[in-house]
Coordinates of all heavy atoms in Angstrom, one line a residue:
N1426 N 12.5 3.6 2.9 CA 12.2 4.7 1.9 C 11.1 5.6 2.4 O 10.5 6.3 1.6 CB 11.7 4.0 0.6 CG 12.8 3.3 -0.1 OD1 13.9 3.7 -0.1 ND2 12.5 2.1 -0.7
M1460 N 7.9 26.6 -4.7 CA 7.3 26.4 -3.4 C 8.0 27.2 -2.3 O 9.2 27.1 -2.2 CB 7.2 24.9 -3.0 CG 6.3 24.1 -3.9 SD 6.5 22.3 -3.5 CE 6.0 22.3 -1.8
E1482 N 24.8 -5.1 20.8 CA 23.3 -5.2 21.1 C 22.4 -4.6 20.1 O 21.5 -5.2 19.6 CB 23.0 -4.6 22.5 CG 23.0 -5.5 23.7 CD 22.2 -6.8 23.5 OE1 21.0 -6.8 23.6 OE2 22.9 -7.8 23.3
A1522 N 4.1 11.9 27.4 CA 4.3 11.2 28.7 C 3.6 9.9 28.8 O 4.1 8.9 29.4 CB 3.7 12.1 29.8
A1538 N 4.0 26.3 32.7 CA 4.4 27.7 32.6 C 3.1 28.6 32.4 O 3.2 29.8 32.1 CB 5.3 28.0 31.5
E1547 N -2.5 26.5 29.4 CA -2.0 25.2 29.0 C -0.6 25.2 28.3 O -0.4 24.5 27.4 CB -3.0 24.5 28.0 CG -4.4 24.3 28.7 CD -5.4 23.5 27.8 OE1 -4.9 22.7 27.0 OE2 -6.6 23.8 28.0
G1592 N 4.7 7.5 0.3 CA 5.9 7.6 1.1 C 6.3 8.9 1.7 O 7.4 9.1 2.2

Side-chain angles (χ1 to χ4, degrees):
N1426 293 323
M1460 292 173 60
E1482 263 315 280
E1547 300 183 29

